[in-house]
Amino acid sequence: MEFQKVLLIVCFLKCFYLVRARQFRVTDQVYLDIRDENKDLGRVVIGLFGDLAPKAVKNFKVLATNGINGMSYKGTSFNRIIKRFMIQGGDVVSDDGTGSVSIYGESFEDENLDTQHSSAGFVSMANKGRNTNGCQFIITTIGTPWLDNLHTIVGKIVEGQNVVHVVEHTPTDAQDRPTRRVYIADCGLLPTPQPFYVSDDPYDIWAWIKASTVPLTMSFSILGFFHWMMRKMEI
């Protein structure tokens, strides 16, 4: 019985924490197959927040698929890597961190700057100041609150955050440029039959709830089930 009671307490605490954690609705998914000069590093899957940043997400999806005038994320390098901060890539113009292009022109305006970079795995647009979003993006490797209100978040890693951390530990020079090439070998869209939710909880053991469109309701339903099961076992 002690195990069941402990399990019930864990479920209750987790549900309480989920009330505090923020939930993000994933409308689309993009994959990035990453490799360096020597080997495949693995696949990263990004859940895109089409409701929060529709223009930026549309731009990101085009760059991850057909591209703009033949320029896409496929083959582009991660040109800036800072440990315990972020990795940056996506320069489809010059592949060195200086280029900018989008489906709206050279750049486009910010969206929904209220979303916070509260943990590792957030994907946001790199920029040169207000309303200068283009093709380049960053992926955080820790919470980066100093980026809040400055960068448009387009999504969050739903699979492959470990691959991001492998890239994060690539040797770099004094200008934070990797000393060996790390690049996107392939990319594209993954089927997303229906939207699902992800949390900014860094200890999210409920990732499988992503198939649900009402994650908090589901969490409390699970809590109710464990409570019922414990009562049955006491009879």
Side-chain angles (χ1 to χ4, degrees):
M1 286 307 301
E2 288 304 315
F3 172 77
Q4 285 79 16
K5 290 180 180 179
V6 169
L7 185 60
L8 179 61
I9 292 171
V10 169
C11 290
F12 176 79
L13 292 175
K14 186 61 186 177
C15 290
F16 175 76
Y17 185 79
L18 279 174
V19 171
R20 298 172 56 200
R22 295 174 305 158
Q23 302 287 303
F24 301 93
R25 189 171 184 261
V26 172
T27 56
D28 306 274
Q29 295 178 92
V30 162
Y31 71 88
L32 308 176
D33 289 336
I34 301 175
R35 65 173 290 125
D36 66 12
E37 295 174 352
N38 303 314
K39 62 183 181 299
D40 292 329
L41 299 182
R43 171 169 289 191
V44 170
V45 178
I46 302 169
L48 298 173
F49 305 155
D51 297 333
L52 291 179
K55 290 190 68 174
V57 165
K58 183 178 180 180
N59 182 65
F60 199 94
K61 291 193 306 182
V62 170
L63 288 165
T65 51
N66 297 326
I68 301 169
N69 298 325
M71 298 180 293
S72 74
Y73 287 146
K74 184 175 181 178
T76 59
S77 306
F78 288 93
N79 52 70
R80 189 169 175 235
I81 297 173
I82 304 177
K83 290 180 182 178
R84 296 194 58 77
F85 180 14
M86 61 84 189
I87 64 175
Q88 179 175 327
D91 183 353
V92 304
V93 179
S94 54
D95 202 32
D96 62 3
T98 63
S100 180
V101 70
S102 77
I103 60 175
Y104 311 108
E106 183 178 347
S107 62
F108 63 98
E109 63 271 16
D110 298 324
E111 291 181 283
N112 195 18
L113 295 178
D114 294 334
T115 307
Q116 299 173 343
H117 301 73
S118 54
S119 64
F122 277 100
V123 183
S124 60
M125 301 304 298
N127 62 45
K128 298 177 182 178
R130 294 286 185 181
N131 302 313
T132 57
N133 302 292
C135 51
Q136 296 189 55
F137 62 89
I138 62 178
I139 304 175
T140 62
T141 59
I142 60 170
T144 54
W146 57 90
L147 299 182
D148 294 348
N149 304 310
L150 298 174
H151 292 263
T152 296
I153 291 178
V154 296
K156 194 174 188 295
I157 303 299
V158 295
E159 294 178 25
Q161 182 65 30
N162 61 311
V163 178
V164 174
H165 290 302
V166 170
V167 176
E168 176 191 17
H169 285 85
T170 302
T172 57
D173 63 18
Q175 284 73 47
D176 302 316
R177 297 187 178 279
T179 55
R180 66 171 181 265
R181 188 170 183 244
V182 182
Y183 64 98
I184 299 170
D186 197 12
C187 55
L189 283 176
L190 290 176
T192 308
Q194 65 177 7
F196 62 89
Y197 287 81
V198 293
S199 169
D200 64 354
D201 175 2
Y203 307 105
D204 189 4
I205 64 172
W206 298 96
W208 57 272
I209 294 177
K210 73 179 187 178
S212 169
T213 57
V214 280
L216 294 184
T217 301
M218 180 64 74
S219 298
F220 285 108
S221 297
I222 293 169
L223 176 61
F225 169 75
F226 278 114
H227 180 64
W228 174 83
M229 184 176 67
M230 192 177 78
R231 290 181 60 190
K232 286 293 184 182
M233 296 182 71
E234 287 178 341
I235 294 177

